[in-house]
Amino acid sequence: MTASTFRALHHDRAAGDPLVLPGPWDAASARVFADAGFPALATPSAGIAASLGYEDGSTPAEEMFAAVARIVRAVSVPVSADIEGGYGLAPAELVERLLEAGAVGCNLEDSEGHATLKDPQRHADWLAEVRAEAGDALFINARVDTFLFGSGDPADAVARAGLYVAAGADCVYPLLAPTAAFPVLREGIAGPINMAAGTDKESVTELARLGATRITFGPGMQRYAISAIGELAAGLRAPN
């Protein structure tokens, strides 16, 4: 599958019909989601980190790209990869590693050290370099962390998003944006918007109503699965 196939899934969608992308954390979960009929998948970095025994943000680049490659090999649908802040790799190497893994897209966040926001213009310039190296071979989802580490002001998120779209991002992802801010984001941001849902149909339906173009779940599905396994384990250990 190519980036153009994946990119097309984001455009010309009917109102209230977002692209819903489950988040596989390994090959087995990827097959489950693909077999359920989802047209594409989006890996969560935190979910993969947990599956490999790391804290979120601590996965070595080699292991993250290897995990993405295993997921890509397991399914026949397009896979986009959350690669956090790019692991300090130069744009050319970053693009090379993504394409080697078979990913058709990536998430790139505008915070560093899981603590502070990057300068938006500097980040936009870096995104432009990634776009120049990738051409049309990668779909770039630019995460906007204003609501996570910044002021929480929707106007700031819109300003950052505008810079990233101008730099070549295909989609923007205002992580943890409250639903009250979504009308401002939808009006002020050109192009597709990614929003994160909980692992329930009602959450997906609400984001669709609010105008999300694309819906992902972060590590929610991996955590849901682990919770279910925990309940199973507790039941097996319970006395007769």
Side-chain angles (χ1 to χ4, degrees):
M1 293 290 183
T2 65
S4 61
T5 301
F6 185 61
R7 189 172 286 111
L9 292 172
H10 294 74
H11 294 284
D12 300 321
R13 305 196 66 87
D17 179 33
L19 175 62
V20 178
L21 300 176
W25 56 94
D26 60 13
S29 59
R31 289 193 185 105
V32 169
F33 296 137
D35 289 348
F38 289 96
L41 308 174
T43 68
S45 61
I48 289 179
S51 74
L52 296 174
Y54 293 103
E55 294 295 322
D56 184 20
S58 300
T59 309
E62 289 289 341
E63 294 196 46
M64 183 62 75
F65 286 113
V68 171
R70 288 192 293 271
I71 289 169
V72 170
R73 287 197 301 268
V75 296
S76 59
V77 298
V79 176
S80 181
D82 181 349
I83 53 169
E84 304 176 275
Y87 307 111
L89 299 174
E93 184 178 359
L94 182 64
V95 169
E96 180 181 9
R97 298 290 293 277
L98 280 163
L99 295 179
E100 285 178 349
V104 299
C106 61
N107 279 14
L108 292 168
E109 59 198 44
D110 67 348
S111 59
E112 48 195 350
H114 283 247
T116 58
L117 287 173
K118 297 177 181 177
D119 175 79
Q121 187 60 63
R122 177 167 59 88
H123 186 62
D125 292 344
W126 181 75
L127 287 175
E129 292 183 51
V130 175
R131 169 55 71 209
E133 292 290 345
D136 291 332
L138 286 174
F139 183 99
I140 298 175
N141 188 32
R143 205 176 86 180
V144 179
D145 284 352
T146 301
F147 300 99
L148 184 61
F149 301 121
S151 66
D153 183 351
D156 182 28
V158 168
R160 284 176 172 268
L163 289 172
Y164 305 160
V165 170
D170 296 282
C171 182
V172 294
Y173 180 14
L175 184 64
L176 298 186
T179 54
F182 199 78
V184 176
L185 300 175
R186 182 66 282 177
E187 181 178 357
I189 296 173
I193 299 179
N194 186 160
M195 297 295 285
T199 53
D200 58 275
K201 185 68 174 179
E202 293 75 18
S203 178
V204 172
T205 300
E206 176 65 4
L207 290 177
R209 184 187 69 79
L210 291 169
T213 312
R214 157 175 162 161
I215 294 176
T216 54
F217 302 86
M221 291 183 165
Q222 186 265 345
R223 292 172 180 170
Y224 181 92
I226 292 301
S227 177
I229 292 171
E231 292 179 9
L232 172 62
L236 292 173
R237 288 283 296 169
N240 293 331

